[in-house]
Amino acid sequence: MIILGIESSCDETAAAIVKDGREVLANVVSSQIKIHEKFGGVVPEVAAREHLNSIIPVIKEVYEKANIKPDEIDAFASTVGPGLVGCLLVGMNAAKTLSLIHNKPYLGVNHLSAHVSANFINTNLEPPFLCLLVSGGHSQIIYVKDYDKQEIIAQTIDDAVGEVYDKVARLCSIPYPGGILLDKMAHSGNKNAFKFPQAKVGEDEFSFSGLKTAVLREVKKFSPDKLPKEDIAASFQNCIADTLINKLVNFANKLNCKKIALAGGVAANSELRLRMEELKQKGYDTYAPELKYCTDNASMVASCAYFNPIKTDNSLLLEVFSRG
Ligand code: KG4
Ligand code: ZN
């Protein structure tokens, strides 16, 4: 089954054509980073307008790259939510229109489930497994019992990990997109320079707002030109990785589920990926999507449409939603 997927939930306009949920025939992403850079973050209305400009060229390009004609597509899919409503509408209406024109099904996809599906691309991964999903909007541990049975067993009670990365980056005057630059900076810092606290919360909870405040307290002790950004980045990154990986491993042991995966934009983080490699050496069966399938992309949408589309009697009546 060949699915054309579209992703437009935030600041990437993306289209991909994927066969049987695992084999990517073409993957196109048009990023808006340059446009939002000057605002220091994503401006929803600007993002939605930009999706309108990019959506048709991106779809044309994906057909060309895959060397596939529209009548060879078996279904059209898009992210329905959670995300920015004005942005989601662009992708969803494009996919629904293609489905009507070519008389093929439309499949709606949940953005979080799509991030999980990134782990199916180019792998033989099968449920059950545990997935640590860390993105700009969410931080969760999901117990993927089956392709369409995904249970959230832990989640943040305040900020999402990606959000904290971006906020700490801003505190250190690191430009947007902060997360990835902070990760790079951490490589030249000392991770033991600062001792940042791990939140004391319930077994099924994460909390990162205290960490953010602790970083702010340290930043304030320095004049901007003397700020040891690299050391702060390394210590912060180490604290986040400890918190996330400890909880993931605790659940893996408790549920006797040694198959574990990473997902979401922060799954691109070098420290988290290193920790997963270490767990592999210890006998865990670990997975992390290729970097280009960690941050928002449409291959994960097409894969999710194959394995776990939103169940509904009439998918053409699906409405976009902002929170999930
Ligand atoms: O999944 P994603 O592309 O969009 C959402 O669904 O939110 O995630 C974006 C988030 C941003 O907060 C970005 O700073 C963070 O992922 N991110 C990273 C890295 N690459 C992207 N955070 C830490 N280290 C990275 N290498
Ligand atoms: Zn995302």
Side-chain angles (χ1 to χ4, degrees):
M1 184 173 184
I2 297 180
I3 299 181
L4 188 154
I6 294 174
E7 156 62 30
S8 67
S9 66
C10 190
D11 58 346
E12 328 274 0
T13 319
I17 299 178
V18 176
K19 189 176 172 192
D20 296 335
R22 297 196 189 257
E23 189 190 338
V24 177
L25 305 181
N27 182 67
V28 176
V29 183
S30 165
S31 171
Q32 303 180 1
I33 285 181
K34 285 265 162 303
I35 293 156
H36 299 291
E37 218 166 28
K38 55 181 173 288
F39 303 110
V42 179
V43 184
E45 183 59 28
V46 175
R49 282 162 198 254
E50 211 30 56
H51 283 303
L52 270 180
N53 291 336
S54 309
I55 190 81
I56 292 183
V58 162
I59 292 170
K60 276 189 179 158
E61 191 180 338
V62 86
Y63 277 128
E64 275 164 26
K65 275 200 169 159
N67 198 15
I68 272 188
K69 294 190 187 60
D71 61 6
E72 294 173 77
I73 303 287
D74 298 304
F76 296 89
S78 78
T79 311
V80 175
L84 301 169
V85 166
C87 298
L88 289 162
L89 275 171
V90 177
M92 186 187 72
N93 283 318
K96 283 183 178 175
T97 306
L98 287 167
S99 121
L100 288 169
I101 294 172
H102 301 294
N103 201 20
K104 295 284 169 60
Y106 165 73
L107 301 168
V109 159
N110 179 297
H111 186 66
L112 305 181
S113 183
H115 272 303
V116 173
S117 290
N119 283 287
F120 300 133
I121 296 170
N122 296 332
T123 70
N124 297 318
L125 173 64
E126 286 178 10
F129 61 93
L130 280 176
C131 186
L132 172 66
L133 167 61
V134 271
S135 72
H138 295 81
S139 306
Q140 307 176 333
I141 297 176
I142 301 171
Y143 191 11
V144 184
K145 292 180 178 167
D146 207 339
Y147 293 104
D148 61 349
K149 285 197 188 68
Q150 306 189 0
E151 190 185 318
I152 299 166
I153 56 174
Q155 60 186 323
T156 181
I157 53 170
D158 39 55
D159 293 4
V161 179
E163 196 181 349
V164 185
Y165 257 95
D166 296 337
K167 284 179 182 167
V168 166
R170 223 169 293 146
L171 290 179
C172 296
S173 309
I174 297 167
Y176 167 89
I180 189 162
L181 297 177
L182 200 87
D183 180 7
K184 284 207 180 103
M185 206 169 257
H187 289 276
S188 35
N190 171 8
K191 67 177 182 184
N192 297 314
F194 296 90
K195 184 91 193 95
F196 291 127
Q198 287 200 36
K200 291 187 180 56
V201 287
E203 189 194 34
D204 57 350
E205 292 171 338
F206 290 114
S207 167
F208 299 105
S209 66
L211 171 60
K212 194 179 58 191
T213 313
V215 174
L216 176 64
R217 212 174 295 128
E218 291 301 333
V219 168
K220 278 188 172 162
K221 290 181 189 166
F222 299 89
S223 62
D225 55 322
K226 297 251 167 57
L227 189 66
K229 289 185 190 177
E230 286 81 2
D231 288 348
I232 289 180
S235 306
F236 164 77
Q237 177 138 297
N238 189 49
C239 175
I240 290 262
D242 280 349
T243 308
L244 294 172
I245 297 295
N246 284 348
K247 198 150 286 200
L248 182 62
V249 168
N250 283 345
F251 272 112
N253 295 341
K254 190 175 149 190
L255 298 168
N256 197 20
C257 177
K258 294 285 165 73
K259 221 190 272 186
I260 50 179
L262 283 183
V266 188
N269 184 261
S270 59
E271 184 65 28
L272 278 183
R273 297 177 82 89
L274 186 72
R275 302 286 181 107
M276 289 295 269
E277 274 308 310
E278 287 168 6
L279 289 173
K280 185 173 255 170
Q281 306 304 323
K282 290 185 184 159
Y284 291 84
D285 188 11
T286 65
Y287 294 81
E290 284 172 49
L291 292 184
K292 64 180 170 206
Y293 302 131
C294 288
T295 41
D296 290 346
N297 66 89
S299 292
M300 68 182 195
V301 174
S303 173
C304 186
Y306 179 80
F307 288 112
N308 186 28
I310 294 172
K311 293 186 182 80
T312 164
D313 291 337
N314 186 348
S315 59
L316 289 173
L317 295 181
L318 280 172
E319 305 252 20
V320 298
F321 58 93
S322 60
R323 287 169 183 275

